Amino acid sequence: TKTAAWAYKPESSPGSRQIQLWHFILELLRKEEYHDVIAWQGDYGEFVIKDPDEVARLWGARKCKPQMNYDKLSRALRYYYNKRILHKTKGKRFTYKFNFNKLVLVNYPFIDMGSGRGVPQSAPPVPTGGTHFRFPPSTPSEVLSSSEELRSPGMFSSVARRMARGSVSDCSDGTSTNSELEEAVGADERGVGPERAFRGLLPPRLPHDSLFRVYGGAPNPAGLPRPAPRVHPEPLSPFPVSPLPGPGGLLAPTLSPALSMTPTPHLPYTPSPSLSSPMMSSHFSFNPEDMKHYLQAHTQSVYNYHLSPRAFIHYPNIVIPQPHRPTLEKPATHHLHGPPLPLSHSLSQHPGGGEEGQQHPSPFKFKLQPPPLGRKQREAGSSLAASASSSSSNQSSSFTGSGHITNPALAAGPPKIKVEPISDIESEEEVEVTDISEEEELNHNDEDDEGDVFTPTPQNHHHHQINNNHQDDEEVFKTPATPPIGSSSLTFPLINLKTEPGQSAPISPGGTRCIPLKVRFKRRWSEDQKMEADGERDEAEDKKVRAEEEEEGKRKEVERRGGEVENGGGRGGVILGLMLPPPPTQRRASSELQRATAQLSLENTGC
DNA sequence: AGCGGAAGGG
DNA sequence: CCCTTCCGCT
């Protein structure tokens, strides 16, 4: 369809037969068995290929390309740069970093990347950026774009089943290494399934991740007896689900990095302080009330963790009560303080609700959004003037075009840029999560976040080198923004919630108000952008990157001027999963739903 | 080590 | 589209 079709295709999803390299990488990353080969290391989303040859071998095995080697594999990885799925961590050998800014989970119904076992509950959905946030379709078909298999309503099981199996094995010889396979499959059969899906998939990060866990409503297929039990929320965890170490001793990161935020970007997972609040009911539903609670909890957590204001989720029309905090409290971002507020927000599970209706969980798939458009000139060696004709103007760019906002720099004719992989923009409709802009270098702490700060455009001065080395410093995490409200997308009624302009925005410890979605989105990208912008930008001043940046820059401009421009259209990101809350009618998915998460592994057929 | 163009395959 | 293969340049 118009939108990044390929991204939505099941084939692009984890678990699909046609595995994509990045899915594969993620798969390896989540498996402990491969920790000596490839593992998360460094910054958030950063991973190191410890054994390039082995990774290449595995990849080759999966793709049945015996001739695969790191040189080739790395070429493939480099193509991701343009897609913005990955980027290279400069200065670190064999180290790449996922641009989770661009990756967002889409439809991940219940992703619990948490501990395998337990799985608790899901968290309320956090809209990730898009301008139009859409709630989950009632029927799977809506969710699944076009896949035959996925489309059918009953398909959940089959899908789950398929997804459940996966392994990284060798083509020819039977060297298969799928350790989890059986387990997963077994689980699936029992109706459990997907919950473990993302386990280990992402880099460990802060507790907030759990907050974002989504819960979609998918129930496990027919009432299956739920074997194991869920875990309760960890007492110490602020959110319902706490990342408990998996059986393997590994803890499973829980959510998509894209959604997570953390004050401290360290690899090692650190247990979070506990927060549980009475306020949060144990179960989360997507009705306004619950939503409110959720938001409140979130807000509170933000406070508790001294997170940046940008972390506030802002749902339009919903006013989030301010957490009660004794005085302002720690504006500064230091370590967390001791006694967290109790916040519990476990989600629901009403077992009883009867067999839930059926909601089929949507198998989640990875959605990719096309990279920014923008650089499409390139080909015609000379004539760029007539560009309009040749290059298609994208819709998304449309708004951009409106402007007169041209950045001088941008205005300058972009040199040739290769469009190559960049897919064209997608339409804006859909669940796009686009519109996230980047920029902002973080000045430690939020601060300027407020109105959108403008991006430090590479105005040229060469800067420091790009090593990201110490970037640890900081990084406030960015929160996924909430859906734009105005958009028609909201399906459930939030309207009742009152909103007051004044109050609508939660205030950060520092007194900062909630920033507009757009801004927030922008912020989300900032981290990477920061790196990229500062670093890469310097180096790669000209190049495609530049084009992209420019585009973004324009966008920003627009935003700035226009204030909140609603649609953005912009660039998209790859979405790992977007969580869609269940429609009001079908809520209560409960635990079963949670379990609905599918196993991501891909299958490796014998070649 | 890493980058990215070019061509080709499925 | 998404690599895979080859390759020259840094």
Side-chain angles (χ1 to χ4, degrees):
Chain A
T1 66
K2 14 175 115 215
T3 40
W6 63 272
Y8 298 81
K9 295 192 301 183
E11 295 77 37
S12 300
S13 304
S16 99
R17 202 148 287 216
Q18 227 221 112
I19 188 170
Q20 286 187 349
L21 179 56
W22 66 279
H23 293 333
F24 180 79
I25 295 291
L26 246 24
E27 183 179 319
L28 290 181
L29 286 167
R30 71 181 248 265
K31 296 186 177 184
E32 299 152 40
E33 325 66 304
Y34 301 103
H35 286 186
D36 291 333
V37 175
I38 185 173
W40 293 113
Q41 204 174 92
D43 259 350
Y44 187 48
E46 212 171 82
F47 64 94
V48 177
I49 294 175
K50 298 173 181 173
D51 186 343
D53 294 336
E54 179 62 10
V55 171
R57 189 188 67 76
L58 293 167
W59 174 234
R62 180 54 89 59
K63 294 287 296 290
C64 292
K65 294 288 179 188
Q67 303 307 309
M68 183 55 59
N69 56 35
Y70 181 71
D71 179 62
K72 292 168 187 171
L73 181 150
S74 64
R75 180 70 190 85
L77 291 175
R78 288 194 292 275
Y79 274 123
Y80 285 141
Y81 300 171
N82 294 328
K83 291 177 181 311
R84 300 205 156 207
I85 287 170
L86 278 181
H87 65 74
K88 184 76 183 64
T89 294
K90 295 179 180 176
K92 293 180 183 174
R93 253 182 179 179
F94 309 125
T95 301
Y96 296 82
K97 185 176 175 188
F98 275 97
N99 277 341
F100 285 117
N101 286 331
K102 211 168 181 358
L103 290 171
V104 180
L105 287 171
V106 165
N107 297 331
Y108 51 113
F110 333 82
I111 265 199
D112 131 330
M113 308 176 100
S115 45
R117 33 180 146 284
V119 166
Q121 18 309 89
S122 44
V126 172
T128 52
T131 320
H132 305 57
F133 174 79
R134 226 193 293 225
F135 283 95
S138 316
T139 75
S141 52
E142 290 182 54
V143 174
L144 305 179
S145 51
S146 49
S147 112
E148 321 116 27
E149 290 187 37
L150 299 181
R151 282 182 204 200
S152 45
M155 78 225 204
F156 178 65
S157 322
S158 65
V159 171
R161 195 180 332 267
R162 276 196 319 152
M163 291 181 132
R165 80 185 101 192
S167 69
V168 178
S169 63
D170 239 84
C171 276
S172 44
D173 53 49
T175 340
S176 71
T177 54
N178 62 9
S179 51
E180 301 187 47
L181 195 140
E182 287 184 5
E183 184 184 350
V185 170
D188 178 42
E189 307 268 328
R190 292 203 298 277
V192 186
E195 59 186 356
R196 298 165 111 267
F198 285 98
R199 184 174 190 265
L201 184 60
L202 302 170
R205 208 161 171 149
L206 74 188
H208 290 78
D209 290 354
S210 28
L211 189 138
F212 293 114
R213 182 174 300 189
V214 178
Y215 106 84
N220 70 21
L224 298 178
R226 196 199 211 102
R230 303 338 8 217
V231 173
H232 42 345
E234 185 167 29
L236 296 185
S237 169
F239 305 101
V241 178
S242 57
L244 296 182
L250 217 235
L251 39 54
T254 340
L255 242 206
S256 157
L259 301 179
S260 66
M261 28 184 163
T262 295
T264 59
H266 291 305
L267 338 181
Y269 168 87
T270 17
S272 55
S274 58
L275 296 173
S276 21
S277 123
M279 308 174 70
M280 290 309 279
S281 58
S282 57
H283 108 274
F284 176 82
S285 15
F286 291 94
N287 60 32
E289 208 44 20
D290 290 339
M291 191 53 125
K292 197 157 134 193
H293 284 300
Y294 163 62
L295 293 174
Q296 185 167 11
H298 175 73
T299 300
Q300 186 141 35
S301 67
V302 169
Y303 277 74
N304 291 333
Y305 289 88
H306 308 119
L307 299 177
S308 163
R310 63 183 74 150
F312 286 106
I313 294 177
H314 177 231
Y315 273 81
N317 301 326
I318 297 181
V319 174
I320 301 173
Q322 288 292 306
H324 1 21
R325 238 185 158 38
T327 63
L328 297 185
E329 206 144 8
K330 21 196 96 216
T333 53
H334 295 80
H335 37 61
L336 324 170
H337 63 38
L341 306 185
L343 230 175
S344 67
H345 134 297
S346 21
L347 306 176
S348 74
Q349 338 242 329
H350 294 335
E355 317 294 268
E356 312 300 22
Q358 41 217 3
Q359 345 202 318
H360 306 306
S362 29
F364 47 84
K365 45 189 177 180
F366 285 87
K367 171 181 186 170
L368 296 179
Q369 278 191 359
L373 11 170
R375 32 97 131 333
K376 6 196 104 225
Q377 8 226 152
R378 137 297 207 346
E379 55 187 29
S382 39
S383 59
L384 48 135
S387 58
S389 62
S390 66
S391 61
S392 55
S393 49
N394 296 328
Q395 326 241 338
S396 49
S397 57
S398 63
F399 83 82
T400 307
S402 58
H404 4 300
I405 330 163
T406 48
N407 181 330
L410 300 180
K416 83 181 206 155
I417 295 173
K418 164 186 196 171
V419 177
E420 192 135 327
I422 305 287
S423 46
D424 6 18
I425 307 244
E426 306 299 329
S427 63
E428 4 191 325
E429 49 174 273
E430 288 271 356
V431 189
E432 58 205 11
V433 186
T434 17
D435 198 40
I436 305 169
S437 8
E438 25 212 316
E439 80 98 337
E440 165 186 33
E441 55 118 37
L442 16 154
N443 304 350
H444 6 358
N445 297 327
D446 0 286
E447 227 33 45
D448 36 310
D449 307 5
E450 232 91 62
D452 41 320
V453 201
F454 62 103
T455 315
T457 318
Q459 285 300 5
N460 17 10
H461 20 291
H462 2 339
H463 264 289
H464 45 289
Q465 209 151 335
I466 350 173
N467 266 342
N468 358 349
N469 342 344
H470 41 341
Q471 69 173 60
D472 335 356
D473 42 16
E474 116 331 6
E475 183 161 305
V476 212
F477 61 101
K478 296 95 195 195
T479 306
T482 56
I485 310 294
S487 30
S488 46
S489 355
L490 293 184
T491 326
F492 66 83
L494 295 177
I495 339 151
N496 295 335
L497 300 181
K498 80 173 357 90
T499 337
E500 268 198 89
Q503 230 176 325
S504 56
I507 298 167
S508 69
T512 333
R513 286 154 113 282
C514 194
I515 31 190
L517 285 180
K518 284 237 159 175
V519 174
R520 264 185 270 128
F521 285 120
K522 286 162 67 175
R523 298 208 166 130
R524 275 184 67 220
W525 299 88
S526 40
E527 182 184 350
D528 285 7
Q529 294 305 323
K530 167 176 64 178
M531 289 179 61
E532 295 179 45
D534 289 347
E536 295 181 8
R537 205 179 267 167
D538 285 344
E539 299 180 11
E541 246 318 292
D542 57 350
K543 282 182 168 189
K544 319 177 169 185
V545 174
R546 193 208 246 158
E548 293 179 10
E549 296 294 338
E550 290 179 5
E551 195 172 341
E552 292 177 4
K554 286 182 188 175
R555 188 173 293 114
K556 282 186 206 168
E557 277 282 1
V558 172
E559 292 176 7
R560 192 183 315 158
R561 307 189 179 209
E564 300 254 323
V565 174
E566 193 41 19
N567 128 42
R571 43 187 347 19
V574 179
I575 302 174
L576 286 178
L578 192 172
M579 83 187 240
L580 306 176
T585 49
Q586 351 180 310
R587 50 193 227 96
R588 83 284 156 127
S590 59
S591 38
E592 334 252 341
L593 297 182
Q594 317 225 350
R595 294 177 138 285
T597 327
Q599 173 68 36
L600 296 181
S601 312
L602 305 175
E603 91 181 43
N604 74 28
T605 59
C607 300

